[in-house]
Amino acid sequence: VALTPCNYSDSRQWWYADGDELMASNGKCLAEDATHQQRWAVSCDGLSYAANPNRQIGKRLYLSDQTGNALVVVDLVQGATVATVPLGDSPEAIYLSPDGKWLSAAIEENDTVAIVDVATLAVVRKIRMKGKNPEHAVFSPDMKWLYVSAEEADRVDVVDVAKGEVVKSVVV
């Protein structure tokens, strides 16, 4: 599933996915077909999203629910929430690894990054950051590194994914 921004107006965020429009607005994420008939809607304070095209586990949309302190997993075919995974206080941006097997979530209030196994939807690791208030945690293309920006530290923490620890901090 490829999500493409198509319109940012009236405090709504819109994406296209497989011909449907996905929208996040006023605490809901919903999908409409080409005739603007609502296919499904789920409740979520979706600040960040990621999609996984891996057919073995289905077409899923992942939403960071900051007020619910969780990851919300939506099955795009069924149009239903299939799981809610507790992450920690105030999860921010989420990113899938290049192979689609892992999801990173920057956990703002805990100064950590959670790593989620996409197949089992289990949090397999929480990594303490050196920078305060992590916002984004992005995998390198080879998946050896995780780059984590910190809102209140003017730095990027570099995480060795295999070790599960910060190995370097770069002042920006």
mmCIF file of all heavy atoms in Angstrom, residues 41-74:
data_model
loop_
_atom_site.group_PDB
_atom_site.id
_atom_site.type_symbol
_atom_site.label_atom_id
_atom_site.label_comp_id
_atom_site.label_asym_id
_atom_site.label_seq_id
_atom_site.Cartn_x
_atom_site.Cartn_y
_atom_site.Cartn_z
ATOM 1 N N ALA A 41 -14.267 3.502 9.131
ATOM 2 C CA ALA A 41 -13.697 4.561 9.959
ATOM 3 C C ALA A 41 -13.268 3.949 11.279
ATOM 4 O O ALA A 41 -13.927 3.050 11.800
ATOM 5 C CB ALA A 41 -14.717 5.673 10.203
ATOM 6 N N VAL A 42 -12.155 4.431 11.808
ATOM 7 C CA VAL A 42 -11.691 3.996 13.121
ATOM 8 C C VAL A 42 -11.328 5.224 13.934
ATOM 9 O O VAL A 42 -10.936 6.253 13.388
ATOM 10 C CB VAL A 42 -10.468 3.040 13.031
ATOM 11 C CG1 VAL A 42 -10.852 1.746 12.340
ATOM 12 C CG2 VAL A 42 -9.293 3.698 12.340
ATOM 13 N N SER A 43 -11.481 5.126 15.243
ATOM 14 C CA SER A 43 -11.116 6.228 16.121
ATOM 15 C C SER A 43 -9.634 6.158 16.429
ATOM 16 O O SER A 43 -9.111 5.096 16.737
ATOM 17 C CB SER A 43 -11.898 6.158 17.430
ATOM 18 O OG SER A 43 -13.261 6.351 17.176
ATOM 19 N N CYS A 44 -8.963 7.299 16.343
ATOM 20 C CA CYS A 44 -7.542 7.349 16.634
ATOM 21 C C CYS A 44 -7.063 8.778 16.528
ATOM 22 O O CYS A 44 -7.471 9.498 15.621
ATOM 23 C CB CYS A 44 -6.760 6.489 15.653
ATOM 24 S SG CYS A 44 -4.990 6.561 15.928
ATOM 25 N N ASP A 45 -6.199 9.177 17.454
ATOM 26 C CA ASP A 45 -5.522 10.454 17.335
ATOM 27 C C ASP A 45 -4.269 10.184 16.521
ATOM 28 O O ASP A 45 -3.179 10.077 17.045
ATOM 29 C CB ASP A 45 -5.175 11.014 18.726
ATOM 30 C CG ASP A 45 -4.484 12.353 18.657
ATOM 31 O OD1 ASP A 45 -4.507 12.971 17.578
ATOM 32 O OD2 ASP A 45 -3.921 12.767 19.670
ATOM 33 N N GLY A 46 -4.441 9.988 15.227
ATOM 34 C CA GLY A 46 -3.351 9.542 14.369
ATOM 35 C C GLY A 46 -2.404 10.663 14.003
ATOM 36 O O GLY A 46 -2.662 11.420 13.092
ATOM 37 N N LEU A 47 -1.304 10.763 14.723
ATOM 38 C CA LEU A 47 -0.317 11.789 14.421
ATOM 39 C C LEU A 47 0.660 11.323 13.361
ATOM 40 O O LEU A 47 1.254 12.121 12.665
ATOM 41 C CB LEU A 47 0.467 12.144 15.692
ATOM 42 C CG LEU A 47 -0.324 12.801 16.793
ATOM 43 C CD1 LEU A 47 0.577 13.033 17.999
ATOM 44 C CD2 LEU A 47 -0.888 14.121 16.316
ATOM 45 N N SER A 48 0.868 10.044 13.244
ATOM 46 C CA SER A 48 1.828 9.499 12.316
ATOM 47 C C SER A 48 1.261 8.212 11.760
ATOM 48 O O SER A 48 0.452 7.551 12.394
ATOM 49 C CB SER A 48 3.150 9.237 13.042
ATOM 50 O OG SER A 48 4.124 8.738 12.163
ATOM 51 N N TYR A 49 1.692 7.854 10.559
ATOM 52 C CA TYR A 49 1.160 6.659 9.936
ATOM 53 C C TYR A 49 2.246 5.953 9.156
ATOM 54 O O TYR A 49 3.247 6.549 8.758
ATOM 55 C CB TYR A 49 0.001 6.992 8.996
ATOM 56 C CG TYR A 49 0.446 7.892 7.866
ATOM 57 C CD1 TYR A 49 0.928 7.361 6.679
ATOM 58 C CD2 TYR A 49 0.415 9.270 8.008
ATOM 59 C CE1 TYR A 49 1.373 8.180 5.671
ATOM 60 C CE2 TYR A 49 0.857 10.090 7.000
ATOM 61 C CZ TYR A 49 1.329 9.553 5.827
ATOM 62 O OH TYR A 49 1.771 10.362 4.823
ATOM 63 N N ALA A 50 2.069 4.661 8.940
ATOM 64 C CA ALA A 50 2.944 3.863 8.097
ATOM 65 C C ALA A 50 2.098 2.745 7.522
ATOM 66 O O ALA A 50 1.134 2.303 8.134
ATOM 67 C CB ALA A 50 4.106 3.288 8.913
ATOM 68 N N ALA A 51 2.422 2.313 6.319
ATOM 69 C CA ALA A 51 1.672 1.227 5.687
ATOM 70 C C ALA A 51 2.621 0.102 5.327
ATOM 71 O O ALA A 51 3.780 0.334 5.022
ATOM 72 C CB ALA A 51 0.960 1.731 4.431
ATOM 73 N N ASN A 52 2.112 -1.124 5.362
ATOM 74 C CA ASN A 52 2.937 -2.292 5.071
ATOM 75 C C ASN A 52 2.292 -3.106 3.956
ATOM 76 O O ASN A 52 1.197 -3.610 4.121
ATOM 77 C CB ASN A 52 3.071 -3.155 6.323
ATOM 78 C CG ASN A 52 4.091 -4.251 6.150
ATOM 79 O OD1 ASN A 52 4.428 -4.626 5.040
ATOM 80 N ND2 ASN A 52 4.586 -4.763 7.251
ATOM 81 N N PRO A 53 2.975 -3.263 2.818
ATOM 82 C CA PRO A 53 2.408 -4.012 1.692
ATOM 83 C C PRO A 53 2.666 -5.512 1.751
ATOM 84 O O PRO A 53 2.302 -6.231 0.847
ATOM 85 C CB PRO A 53 3.140 -3.405 0.497
ATOM 86 C CG PRO A 53 4.482 -3.057 1.044
ATOM 87 C CD PRO A 53 4.224 -2.623 2.478
ATOM 88 N N ASN A 54 3.284 -6.016 2.820
ATOM 89 C CA ASN A 54 3.643 -7.418 2.909
ATOM 90 C C ASN A 54 2.378 -8.283 2.905
ATOM 91 O O ASN A 54 1.611 -8.292 3.847
ATOM 92 C CB ASN A 54 4.447 -7.654 4.194
ATOM 93 C CG ASN A 54 4.986 -9.059 4.287
ATOM 94 O OD1 ASN A 54 4.427 -9.980 3.704
ATOM 95 N ND2 ASN A 54 6.063 -9.209 5.014
ATOM 96 N N ARG A 55 2.182 -9.015 1.845
ATOM 97 C CA ARG A 55 0.940 -9.768 1.675
ATOM 98 C C ARG A 55 0.795 -10.919 2.673
ATOM 99 O O ARG A 55 -0.298 -11.390 2.920
ATOM 100 C CB ARG A 55 0.837 -10.285 0.249
ATOM 101 C CG ARG A 55 0.877 -9.147 -0.757
ATOM 102 C CD ARG A 55 0.061 -9.467 -1.979
ATOM 103 N NE ARG A 55 0.218 -8.445 -2.997
ATOM 104 C CZ ARG A 55 -0.423 -7.299 -3.000
ATOM 105 N NH1 ARG A 55 -1.254 -7.006 -2.046
ATOM 106 N NH2 ARG A 55 -0.243 -6.432 -3.970
ATOM 107 N N GLN A 56 1.889 -11.382 3.262
ATOM 108 C CA GLN A 56 1.795 -12.474 4.230
ATOM 109 C C GLN A 56 1.056 -12.032 5.492
ATOM 110 O O GLN A 56 0.442 -12.846 6.153
ATOM 111 C CB GLN A 56 3.186 -12.964 4.614
ATOM 112 C CG GLN A 56 3.898 -13.674 3.475
ATOM 113 C CD GLN A 56 5.290 -14.098 3.885
ATOM 114 O OE1 GLN A 56 5.910 -13.508 4.758
ATOM 115 N NE2 GLN A 56 5.779 -15.136 3.247
ATOM 116 N N ILE A 57 1.139 -10.772 5.831
ATOM 117 C CA ILE A 57 0.460 -10.314 7.040
ATOM 118 C C ILE A 57 -0.687 -9.366 6.725
ATOM 119 O O ILE A 57 -1.300 -8.814 7.599
ATOM 120 C CB ILE A 57 1.450 -9.650 8.020
ATOM 121 C CG1 ILE A 57 2.206 -8.526 7.348
ATOM 122 C CG2 ILE A 57 2.388 -10.656 8.617
ATOM 123 C CD1 ILE A 57 3.112 -7.766 8.272
ATOM 124 N N GLY A 58 -1.005 -9.201 5.461
ATOM 125 C CA GLY A 58 -2.137 -8.385 5.071
ATOM 126 C C GLY A 58 -1.776 -6.932 4.888
ATOM 127 O O GLY A 58 -0.714 -6.484 5.267
ATOM 128 N N LYS A 59 -2.665 -6.207 4.281
ATOM 129 C CA LYS A 59 -2.462 -4.780 4.068
ATOM 130 C C LYS A 59 -2.900 -4.054 5.325
ATOM 131 O O LYS A 59 -4.060 -4.087 5.708
ATOM 132 C CB LYS A 59 -3.274 -4.314 2.867
ATOM 133 C CG LYS A 59 -2.803 -4.934 1.572
ATOM 134 C CD LYS A 59 -3.637 -4.445 0.423
ATOM 135 C CE LYS A 59 -3.135 -5.047 -0.870
ATOM 136 N NZ LYS A 59 -3.884 -4.559 -2.016
ATOM 137 N N ARG A 60 -1.944 -3.398 5.948
ATOM 138 C CA ARG A 60 -2.212 -2.756 7.230
ATOM 139 C C ARG A 60 -1.794 -1.300 7.214
ATOM 140 O O ARG A 60 -0.838 -0.928 6.553
ATOM 141 C CB ARG A 60 -1.459 -3.460 8.347
ATOM 142 C CG ARG A 60 -1.971 -4.848 8.618
ATOM 143 C CD ARG A 60 -1.198 -5.478 9.731
ATOM 144 N NE ARG A 60 -1.797 -6.749 10.109
ATOM 145 C CZ ARG A 60 -1.248 -7.584 10.940
ATOM 146 N NH1 ARG A 60 -0.083 -7.312 11.491
ATOM 147 N NH2 ARG A 60 -1.836 -8.715 11.239
ATOM 148 N N LEU A 61 -2.512 -0.532 7.974
ATOM 149 C CA LEU A 61 -2.168 0.853 8.230
ATOM 150 C C LEU A 61 -1.849 0.952 9.710
ATOM 151 O O LEU A 61 -2.608 0.451 10.552
ATOM 152 C CB LEU A 61 -3.347 1.774 7.884
ATOM 153 C CG LEU A 61 -3.170 3.259 8.166
ATOM 154 C CD1 LEU A 61 -2.121 3.861 7.234
ATOM 155 C CD2 LEU A 61 -4.502 3.977 7.995
ATOM 156 N N TYR A 62 -0.718 1.563 10.034
ATOM 157 C CA TYR A 62 -0.295 1.723 11.421
ATOM 158 C C TYR A 62 -0.438 3.188 11.786
ATOM 159 O O TYR A 62 0.018 4.059 11.050
ATOM 160 C CB TYR A 62 1.159 1.277 11.591
ATOM 161 C CG TYR A 62 1.356 -0.157 11.210
ATOM 162 C CD1 TYR A 62 1.702 -0.508 9.908
ATOM 163 C CD2 TYR A 62 1.185 -1.167 12.139
ATOM 164 C CE1 TYR A 62 1.864 -1.828 9.547
ATOM 165 C CE2 TYR A 62 1.358 -2.493 11.778
ATOM 166 C CZ TYR A 62 1.691 -2.816 10.485
ATOM 167 O OH TYR A 62 1.851 -4.129 10.130
ATOM 168 N N LEU A 63 -1.078 3.457 12.915
ATOM 169 C CA LEU A 63 -1.303 4.826 13.367
ATOM 170 C C LEU A 63 -0.740 5.008 14.764
ATOM 171 O O LEU A 63 -0.941 4.172 15.638
ATOM 172 C CB LEU A 63 -2.803 5.151 13.399
ATOM 173 C CG LEU A 63 -3.534 5.089 12.069
ATOM 174 C CD1 LEU A 63 -5.040 5.075 12.295
ATOM 175 C CD2 LEU A 63 -3.132 6.254 11.197
ATOM 176 N N SER A 64 -0.057 6.111 14.964
ATOM 177 C CA SER A 64 0.427 6.478 16.288
ATOM 178 C C SER A 64 -0.701 7.217 16.995
ATOM 179 O O SER A 64 -1.150 8.256 16.532
ATOM 180 C CB SER A 64 1.649 7.394 16.133
ATOM 181 O OG SER A 64 1.997 7.976 17.354
ATOM 182 N N ASP A 65 -1.175 6.659 18.094
ATOM 183 C CA ASP A 65 -2.270 7.264 18.860
ATOM 184 C C ASP A 65 -1.665 7.908 20.102
ATOM 185 O O ASP A 65 -1.464 7.252 21.125
ATOM 186 C CB ASP A 65 -3.287 6.194 19.230
ATOM 187 C CG ASP A 65 -4.512 6.757 19.927
ATOM 188 O OD1 ASP A 65 -4.536 7.969 20.235
ATOM 189 O OD2 ASP A 65 -5.448 5.987 20.170
ATOM 190 N N GLN A 66 -1.374 9.205 20.000
ATOM 191 C CA GLN A 66 -0.670 9.903 21.077
ATOM 192 C C GLN A 66 -1.492 9.948 22.358
ATOM 193 O O GLN A 66 -0.968 9.704 23.436
ATOM 194 C CB GLN A 66 -0.288 11.308 20.638
ATOM 195 C CG GLN A 66 0.614 12.002 21.629
ATOM 196 C CD GLN A 66 1.059 13.359 21.153
ATOM 197 O OE1 GLN A 66 0.355 14.032 20.406
ATOM 198 N NE2 GLN A 66 2.221 13.782 21.593
ATOM 199 N N THR A 67 -2.763 10.249 22.265
ATOM 200 C CA THR A 67 -3.574 10.344 23.483
ATOM 201 C C THR A 67 -3.864 8.976 24.087
ATOM 202 O O THR A 67 -4.045 8.845 25.285
ATOM 203 C CB THR A 67 -4.895 11.090 23.224
ATOM 204 O OG1 THR A 67 -5.622 10.418 22.189
ATOM 205 C CG2 THR A 67 -4.642 12.528 22.811
ATOM 206 N N GLY A 68 -3.884 7.935 23.261
ATOM 207 C CA GLY A 68 -4.118 6.585 23.763
ATOM 208 C C GLY A 68 -2.832 5.858 24.122
ATOM 209 O O GLY A 68 -2.883 4.718 24.572
ATOM 210 N N ASN A 69 -1.671 6.511 23.882
ATOM 211 C CA ASN A 69 -0.366 5.923 24.203
ATOM 212 C C ASN A 69 -0.164 4.566 23.544
ATOM 213 O O ASN A 69 0.353 3.634 24.159
ATOM 214 C CB ASN A 69 -0.168 5.811 25.717
ATOM 215 C CG ASN A 69 -0.227 7.166 26.385
ATOM 216 O OD1 ASN A 69 0.291 8.142 25.850
ATOM 217 N ND2 ASN A 69 -0.856 7.226 27.535
ATOM 218 N N ALA A 70 -0.591 4.462 22.285
ATOM 219 C CA ALA A 70 -0.587 3.156 21.636
ATOM 220 C C ALA A 70 -0.339 3.247 20.137
ATOM 221 O O ALA A 70 -0.421 4.311 19.530
ATOM 222 C CB ALA A 70 -1.920 2.458 21.892
ATOM 223 N N LEU A 71 -0.083 2.090 19.573
ATOM 224 C CA LEU A 71 -0.046 1.888 18.137
ATOM 225 C C LEU A 71 -1.379 1.262 17.759
ATOM 226 O O LEU A 71 -1.779 0.247 18.341
ATOM 227 C CB LEU A 71 1.105 0.935 17.777
ATOM 228 C CG LEU A 71 1.215 0.513 16.319
ATOM 229 C CD1 LEU A 71 1.655 1.693 15.451
ATOM 230 C CD2 LEU A 71 2.202 -0.650 16.194
ATOM 231 N N VAL A 72 -2.088 1.851 16.813
ATOM 232 C CA VAL A 72 -3.356 1.311 16.343
ATOM 233 C C VAL A 72 -3.095 0.680 14.977
ATOM 234 O O VAL A 72 -2.510 1.313 14.096
ATOM 235 C CB VAL A 72 -4.437 2.406 16.232
ATOM 236 C CG1 VAL A 72 -5.722 1.852 15.631
ATOM 237 C CG2 VAL A 72 -4.699 3.015 17.607
ATOM 238 N N VAL A 73 -3.501 -0.577 14.812
ATOM 239 C CA VAL A 73 -3.274 -1.310 13.577
ATOM 240 C C VAL A 73 -4.622 -1.508 12.886
ATOM 241 O O VAL A 73 -5.540 -2.089 13.471
ATOM 242 C CB VAL A 73 -2.608 -2.678 13.852
ATOM 243 C CG1 VAL A 73 -2.306 -3.394 12.543
ATOM 244 C CG2 VAL A 73 -1.347 -2.492 14.694
ATOM 245 N N VAL A 74 -4.715 -1.019 11.652
ATOM 246 C CA VAL A 74 -5.953 -1.095 10.887
ATOM 247 C C VAL A 74 -5.741 -2.018 9.695
ATOM 248 O O VAL A 74 -4.766 -1.874 8.955
ATOM 249 C CB VAL A 74 -6.381 0.308 10.385
ATOM 250 C CG1 VAL A 74 -7.636 0.223 9.519
ATOM 251 C CG2 VAL A 74 -6.597 1.254 11.549
#
